[in-house]
Amino acid sequence: MSKKYQIGWLPGDGVGVEVLEAAKLVLDKLDFNAEYVHGDIGWEFWCKEGDALPQRTIDLLNRVDAAMFGAITSKPMKQAEQELVTELRGKSLIYRSPIVRMRQLFDLYVCLRPCKGYPGNPLNFKENIDLVVFRENTEDLYAGVEFSPVPDELRETLTKLSKPFGAFKDLNGADYAVSCKVNTRKGSARIVRAAFEFAAKHGRKKVTVVHKANVVRAADGLFLEMAKEVAKDYPNIIFDEANVDAIMMWLLKNPFNYDVLVAPNLYGDIVSDLCAQLVGGLGFGCSGNIGDKLGVFEPTHGSAPKYSGMYKVNPIATILSAKQMLEWLGEIELANKVEAATAAVIKEGKVRTYDMGGSNTTLEMGKAIAEKLA
Ligand code: IPM
Ligand code: MG
């Protein structure tokens, strides 16, 4: 008897629920021995309980082998909701994205975003694009070290320690905001190593480090320094580097010049959206948030409130995320089956969701892929 996996199942809000339902049609058709455990997450719990990622869901994620996550809505709150949350959470009314919290809480430091153009997809920018983005997932501008208003203490310290800060030193705390970009040696090295390890394992030829070290000298300088250090351990893989602005143009100009890309958190967020668009857009952007103990897999698109309840959006991003989950669990054969079935449905072109120019529903796409499983 094969191992029985415990899979956290976190649909969240809006179309998150729908795309996970479609992915389940595929998973259920596989010989994958798993128990799916529902976890509460999302806007509803922020409004009702003052916490979008309740402690019981954190406990659940501590128990499971891996998790699938849909999407979360965040929107301005109604007056009554505001009051309730203020009461529940005291003064802290800042909504922090639960997925960002989850990445940090569980140290899911690798955000792995493969962007592969499947033949026959009418949305491919060019045929045969096959890029893999490694995005640092816990620090950088996502560290959450932010001040608005800026406390006097911080202003005094910065006035003392930073010459350029002189330009801001006479502002009132409420008239500016500070978000800190925190990159560590450890955090930078481990994401770059993950990218090189992937390249070595999968016969990839080149790793491109994305940065802006010519301007953001401290934080990006350190990222680049660590990248160069780690690259020395992989003499057979080409080390390449590019400024984040320039690479946006070059990726459009010639995506085939690139292979594996690795970037600090925010640049990785941006680069991975561009790369997803090259292979079909939001409906095809899959991702894994991966740590040493847990992997949480999700489509990169949001909850798309305007499509909520319509079963209209493309579930392929989620199905390919499920494929990534199977791969991470070591179920390579099953992962390959899911990918082959997805590729076959895309190639055949009979079942297409609205983004692909068709009129099939989310679940029809899920079903078509499930039926193609060999
Ligand atoms: C992503 C998303 C998230 C991010 C949002 C929803 C917080 O854009 O996963 O790429 O910025 O990381
Ligand atoms: Mg994003």
Side-chain angles (χ1 to χ4, degrees), residues 19-84:
V19 289
L20 245 63
E21 214 177 307
K24 189 77 183 347
L25 295 176
V26 176
L27 288 168
D28 282 347
K29 266 281 187 97
L30 291 170
D31 188 18
F32 178 52
N33 192 8
E35 184 191 343
Y36 298 90
V37 196
H38 177 92
D40 290 337
I41 191 165
W43 190 247
E44 182 190 337
F45 303 98
W46 167 248
C47 297
K48 281 204 308 223
E49 303 175 19
D51 199 347
L53 177 62
Q55 185 58 42
R56 59 185 176 283
T57 305
I58 295 173
D59 295 343
L60 180 149
L61 286 169
N62 268 315
R63 282 198 315 269
V64 294
D65 296 299
M68 286 293 299
F69 164 66
I72 279 175
T73 304
S74 56
K75 51 191 173 190
M77 284 190 286
K78 295 184 202 115
Q79 182 70 28
E81 290 169 345
Q82 286 256 355
E83 281 162 15
L84 182 62

Side-chain angles (χ1 to χ4, degrees), residues 97 99-100 103 113 135 142 269 273 298 300:
S97 160
I99 182 65
V100 174
R103 290 166 181 163
R113 298 187 157 173
R135 164 187 180 189
Y142 281 67
D269 180 41
D273 267 17
E298 51 154 346
T300 62

Side-chain angles (χ1 to χ4, degrees), residues 51-244:
D51 199 347
L53 177 62
Q55 185 58 42
R56 59 185 176 283
T57 305
I58 295 173
D59 295 343
L60 180 149
L61 286 169
N62 268 315
R63 282 198 315 269
V64 294
D65 296 299
M68 286 293 299
F69 164 66
I72 279 175
T73 304
S74 56
K75 51 191 173 190
M77 284 190 286
K78 295 184 202 115
Q79 182 70 28
E81 290 169 345
Q82 286 256 355
E83 281 162 15
L84 182 62
V85 173
T86 311
E87 194 186 309
L88 288 164
R89 302 234 38 181
K91 281 211 177 94
S92 150
L93 253 179
I94 298 169
Y95 177 84
R96 281 197 72 211
S97 160
I99 182 65
V100 174
R101 262 180 74 205
M102 215 191 293
R103 290 166 181 163
Q104 286 165 343
L105 262 173
F106 293 94
D107 204 19
L108 308 175
Y109 59 92
V110 173
C111 184
L112 173 52
R113 298 187 157 173
C115 299
K116 185 163 165 181
Y118 291 94
N121 184 351
L123 300 170
N124 281 340
F125 178 67
K126 286 181 178 156
E127 292 300 316
N128 302 318
I129 292 176
D130 187 6
L131 297 161
V132 180
V133 180
F134 277 78
R135 164 187 180 189
E136 199 290 320
N137 219 16
T138 58
E139 41 188 57
D140 195 56
L141 269 168
Y142 281 67
V145 186
E146 306 200 86
F147 303 92
S148 178
V150 180
D152 284 344
E153 251 175 299
L154 182 63
R155 188 180 53 178
E156 282 153 23
T157 307
L158 289 173
T159 307
K160 242 188 270 160
L161 299 181
S162 160
K163 206 164 171 228
F165 188 76
F168 311 109
K169 72 177 190 338
D170 296 325
L171 290 172
N172 287 317
D175 290 336
Y176 66 120
V178 173
S179 297
C180 300
K181 177 167 160 102
V182 186
N183 290 3
T184 66
R185 284 189 190 280
K186 180 183 162 195
S188 307
R190 67 184 179 175
I191 188 66
V192 176
R193 189 166 295 283
F196 273 97
E197 278 296 312
F198 176 94
K201 190 169 165 201
H202 296 272
R204 300 274 184 159
K205 299 203 161 36
K206 176 158 130 182
V207 173
T208 303
V209 180
V210 181
H211 61 83
K212 188 75 188 183
N214 57 341
V215 177
V216 190
R217 290 180 182 270
D220 284 5
L222 183 133
F223 191 86
L224 184 57
E225 180 194 330
M226 295 317 292
K228 286 180 178 162
E229 204 51 48
V230 169
K232 288 184 192 152
D233 293 341
Y234 302 86
N236 298 324
I237 297 166
I238 300 166
F239 170 84
D240 177 39
E241 50 156 307
N243 280 322
V244 62

Side-chain angles (χ1 to χ4, degrees), residues 154 319 355:
L154 182 63
I319 291 166
D355 54 323

